[in-house]
Amino acid sequence: MKTRLLVSVAAICVATAATAGTIAPPVSDPVLAPAPVMPGWAGFYAGATLGWATGQATYPALPPLAIDSFSYGGFAGYNHILDNGFMVGGEVAVTILNLNDRFGGFVNTVFDAKLRAGVVAGRALVYASGGFSMSSDDVGNTGRGWNIGAGVDYLVTENLFFGAEYVYRDITDTATPANWRDRFHTVQVRAGIKF
């Protein structure tokens, strides 16, 4: 009996010694890296433009007239960013041109309503745009037409961005019959704030 007890105790000691150090340490939860934060292009924004317009104004019975003017203006819009990084949005803009022609100098104000589509590439937003344009000058002429363009904006801070944009416009006199047609290119720099 005593021998059996000693053998049992010895067996327990041997088994305990054999398993010592083989217990696996507790497994900690894996540390997940935070998902990359996409620059915040979504939402409302507004800003100002500065550029140069070149093109041509045509009249029914007169030779064409060159458009070559400094331009400035402002814009406001809204961006909606899809899950895949694509952007859809809208923008309204006003551009002012100081023009000289055979009739004297005048100021032409152009209003644009544009749809925009693009893609977020890091801190940059690359886009194409197109829409409706209308113009009014200080000598009583009004016109309607269309615009198309492309550009890139870059976030310098969380809310401040700078960019460059190209816009082509084709605007015709609203009078019947039409007395003129303006077709011109504008290259401009942009600065804006996101809200």
Side-chain angles (χ1 to χ4, degrees):
M1 181 81 152
K2 206 178 214 183
T3 304
R4 258 196 252 167
L5 180 60
L6 287 174
V7 169
S8 297
V9 169
I12 290 171
C13 290
V14 169
T16 302
T19 60
T22 61
I23 298 174
V27 177
S28 61
D29 292 335
V31 177
L32 299 176
V37 178
M38 189 170 287
W41 280 109
F44 290 98
Y45 62 91
T49 62
L50 192 63
W52 198 266
T54 59
Q56 187 171 273
T58 55
Y59 302 86
L62 296 170
L65 187 70
I67 295 173
D68 193 17
S69 169
F70 174 71
S71 71
Y72 58 96
F75 60 89
Y78 182 83
N79 294 325
H80 177 71
I81 307 298
L82 304 174
D83 291 339
N84 55 10
F86 283 97
M87 178 277 295
V88 291
E91 183 176 293
V92 292
V94 59
T95 303
I96 298 170
L97 311 171
N98 293 302
L99 300 171
N100 293 308
D101 67 5
R102 61 178 64 89
F103 310 113
F106 63 96
V107 175
N108 193 19
T109 303
V110 180
F111 300 93
D112 298 317
K114 302 184 281 189
L115 294 177
R116 303 197 320 157
V119 64
V120 175
R123 301 185 72 83
L125 175 63
V126 182
Y127 62 88
S129 65
F132 173 76
S133 292
M134 99 181 152
S135 69
S136 176
D137 64 32
D138 58 1
V139 293
N141 295 307
T142 59
R144 285 192 299 263
W146 53 272
N147 65 73
I148 190 168
V152 59
D153 290 333
Y154 187 83
L155 276 173
V156 178
T157 69
E158 188 176 334
N159 299 102
L160 177 66
F161 66 90
F162 292 98
E165 182 179 45
Y166 164 79
V167 182
Y168 173 79
R169 297 177 183 89
D170 188 327
I171 301 174
T172 302
D173 186 10
T174 55
T176 305
N179 293 316
W180 53 266
R181 181 181 183 187
D182 289 346
R183 286 173 283 187
F184 59 98
H185 312 267
T186 305
V187 177
Q188 57 196 16
V189 293
R190 297 159 46 99
I193 297 174
K194 288 178 51 281
F195 300 108

